[in-house]
Each structure stands twice: as structure tokens, then as C-alpha cells.
Amino acid sequence: MAGVVDWESFGVMTGGASGALTGLLFVAVSLNADRIARHPGLRAIAAQTLVLFIAPLVMAAVLLTPRQPGRAVGAELMAAGLCGGLSLFVIGRRRRAPTPADERPAGVFDRRDTGIVVMLLLVVSGAVVASGTPAGLYVLLPASLVAFVSGVLSAWNFLLPPPDML
């Protein structure tokens, strides 16, 4: 698909950032493993953050796979969004109660709903691309940005937790 070729640099940048942030998440979780293991809400946030960092990595892999027809790119983006959304739904069911982080202004990015928005944007992008309109790829920018901001704020909470989460 001709339009996807134009997105190669975006895919490389997003995939690299996603990989680096996933590594950050593993460091943050390992530094606070005891506290996270005792708190079901924190375990759920860690899993949610992993899904948010992996989604842009999958998106980048789709964009960087050579010579794919537009319908395949669109179907893969839709599948990634649906799988990610289902994962977030399952993770959210395990999260019993809101954490104190949910009450802070930055807590809006720690919520499952924010992740679901990211996954819906992937599905919308895929549907538009599958219909033959490469402009649907522009929806990947806000999806990636929200995923990264949300995930970084969650990882920050693991590294430097607020006093009420200790």
C-alpha cells in the first residue's frame, strides 16, 4: 500500500519508543516488586501499562511489514485494537477498587478507559485503512501519544509512588 510507505519513519520511531518504554516498565516494576505483588490494583495497573506499551509496538510492526495490501494493514490494526481492548477489559475486572492514583489529575491516564480509547483509535484507523483510505493512518498518532503518556505516568507511579500508595 503506497500510503503506508510514507509512515515508515513513524513506525521506526514508535516501535523504538515502545521498546524502550517497555524496558522502563520492567525496571520500575522490578524495583517495587514487593509492594506491587501485595496490591491487586497495582498489579492490574502494571499489566495495563504493559498492554499500552505493546500496542504501539504491534502497530509499528504492522506499518513496517513490507508490501502489505491496505486491507491487510487495516485488518491487522483492527485485530491489534480488539485484542488490546479485550486484554484491558480482563485486566480491569481484576482491579477491584480504584487506587489513590486515580484521584490525582494525572490519574485520568491510569484508568482502563484511557487504554480502551487507545484501542478504539487503533480499530478506527484499521477500519478506515481497510476501506481504502490511507489517511486513516493519521489516527495512529493520537493513539500512540495517549498510550505513551498514560504508560509513562503509570511507570512513574511505580518508580516514585505517592505516599498514599506505599
Side-chain angles (χ1 to χ4, degrees):
M1 178 175 183
V4 176
V5 174
D6 298 334
W7 287 83
E8 185 174 316
S9 295
F10 178 77
V12 169
M13 182 275 308
T14 303
S18 179
L21 290 170
T22 300
L24 168 69
L25 174 65
F26 278 97
V27 169
V29 169
S30 66
L31 289 174
N32 293 291
D34 292 337
R35 182 175 55 85
I36 293 168
R38 291 189 310 264
H39 195 290
L42 289 177
R43 286 194 310 267
I45 291 172
Q48 169 187 311
T49 304
L50 182 61
V51 171
L52 286 172
F53 285 159
I54 295 297
L57 183 62
V58 170
M59 178 211 65
V62 169
L63 289 177
L64 294 172
T65 302
R67 293 184 288 283
Q68 286 196 90
R71 289 184 190 259
V73 171
E76 291 164 0
L77 290 172
M78 287 188 291
L82 292 172
C83 289
L86 180 60
S87 297
L88 291 172
F89 178 74
V90 170
I91 292 165
R93 293 187 62 135
R94 292 183 186 159
R95 189 172 172 180
R96 292 181 177 82
T99 65
D102 291 334
E103 297 168 9
R104 295 185 335 273
V108 71
F109 287 101
D110 289 338
R111 296 189 175 137
R112 178 184 60 173
D113 299 341
T114 306
I116 296 294
V117 168
V118 170
M119 300 310 154
L120 285 174
L121 289 171
L122 285 176
V123 171
V124 167
S125 174
V128 173
V129 170
S131 75
T133 307
L137 295 171
Y138 284 98
V139 178
L140 297 177
L141 177 61
S144 299
L145 292 175
V146 171
F148 288 153
V149 168
S150 178
V152 166
L153 289 173
S154 291
W156 184 262
N157 283 332
F158 293 129
L159 285 171
L160 299 170
D164 52 358
M165 290 182 74
L166 294 174

